[in-house]
Amino acid sequence: MSVAGVYARRTATLAASVALTVAGLLTTAPAAEAAPPTPVSAATARTYLAALTVKAEGSSTGYSRDLFPHWITQSGTCNTREVVLKRDGVNVVTDSSCASVSGSWYSAYDGATWTAASDLDIDHVVPLAEAWRSGANAWTTSRRQAFANDLTRPQLIAVTDNVNQAKGDQDPAEWLPSVTSYRCTYARMWVQVKYYYALSVDSAEKSALQSILNGC
C-alpha cells in the first residue's frame, strides 16, 4: 500500500476513534443540573449579608400558604411550577395543558436524578413561612405573590420532593443540602433573595451563612 493509502487509513481510524469517544462521553455525561438564575458571587453575597437587618425571628401567628398565592399562570396554560420543571429538566416534553409528561431532572440538593415530574417539588429557596417571620407578614398580597412565583431571582428550584419536605421552613442554620458542594450556591441564592426583598436574618442564620460564604 502506498504511503498515501496508509495515511488515509490512519486518518480514518483516528476519526472513528474520536467519534466513538465523543459518543461515549455523550452517553455517560451526567444529567444537566437545575438551572435557576445564577446567584450573585460569594463576595457580593457577603456584602449583601452584612447589609441585612439582624433580629430575632418573628412569630408564625397568622401565617398561611394561601397568603402567598403561588403557581400562578405565567403564560398560556403554563403555571410557575410547570415553567420551573421545564427550565430545570432535560428533554422535557409537555402536553397541551403544559404538564410535564417526560424528561429527566437532577436534584442539586441530594444528587438524585428523576424521570417523573411527580417525584419533584419546586422549592422556595427562602421558604414562605420563613419569609413571613422575616418581614413578609407586613407585605401586600401582590408582593407575597411576586415572591412566591419569582422566576427572576434564584428563589425557585426543582428538587426531590421528600428532600423539600424535610427542609420545610428551616433556614441555613437548621438545614442545608446534603450535597456539600452545592452549599455555597445555596447560600448565595438565599442571601440574594433575602437582600432583594429586604427580609431580616436572625443571628444563627447569619452566622451559618457567613461560615459558608467565607469558604466559597
Side-chain angles (χ1 to χ4, degrees):
M1 182 179 290
S2 68
V3 172
V6 170
Y7 180 75
R9 280 190 61 185
R10 286 179 178 171
T11 301
T13 301
L14 178 61
S17 175
V18 170
L20 286 171
T21 300
V22 170
L25 288 172
L26 290 174
T27 301
T28 58
E33 292 193 19
T38 302
V40 295
S41 68
T44 298
R46 287 192 289 270
T47 299
Y48 284 1
L49 181 59
L52 293 179
T53 298
V54 180
K55 66 179 184 179
E57 199 166 82
S59 169
S60 292
T61 301
Y63 168 74
S64 168
R65 284 181 67 85
D66 293 340
L67 295 172
F68 292 78
H70 51 288
W71 308 166
I72 61 171
T73 300
Q74 292 289 345
S75 64
T77 60
C78 301
N79 67 26
T80 307
R81 171 183 165 83
E82 291 155 349
V83 169
V84 175
L85 283 172
K86 180 139 187 159
R87 181 198 71 188
D88 288 3
V90 176
N91 298 324
V92 177
V93 176
T94 56
D95 62 19
S96 59
S97 65
C98 203
S100 297
V101 295
S102 65
S104 176
W105 293 268
Y106 174 81
S107 170
Y109 287 0
D110 59 328
T113 298
W114 303 98
T115 56
S118 58
D119 288 320
L120 297 140
D121 278 355
I122 306 306
D123 181 43
H124 288 97
V125 172
V126 175
L128 305 182
E130 163 69 23
W132 177 269
R133 297 189 298 266
S134 304
N137 60 318
W139 291 353
T140 62
T141 299
S142 62
R143 185 158 178 79
R144 287 195 286 261
Q145 176 175 294
F147 176 83
N149 298 275
D150 191 346
L151 296 168
T152 304
R153 263 63 53 182
Q155 162 67 342
L156 301 171
I157 184 171
V159 297
T160 303
D161 54 4
N162 59 2
V163 170
N164 180 54
Q165 290 151 25
K167 171 186 170 180
D169 62 355
Q170 299 178 92
D171 69 33
E174 303 159 323
W175 184 94
L176 289 167
S178 60
V179 176
T180 55
S181 61
Y182 197 73
R183 291 180 178 177
C184 178
T185 301
Y186 183 77
R188 288 157 50 207
M189 295 163 78
W190 182 284
V191 171
Q192 181 177 347
V193 171
K194 280 225 160 176
Y195 181 82
Y196 179 82
Y197 286 97
L199 294 168
S200 63
V201 289
D202 63 48
S203 57
E205 175 188 354
K206 181 175 183 178
S207 178
L209 289 164
Q210 283 177 324
S211 178
I212 298 165
L213 292 171
N214 286 340
C216 289

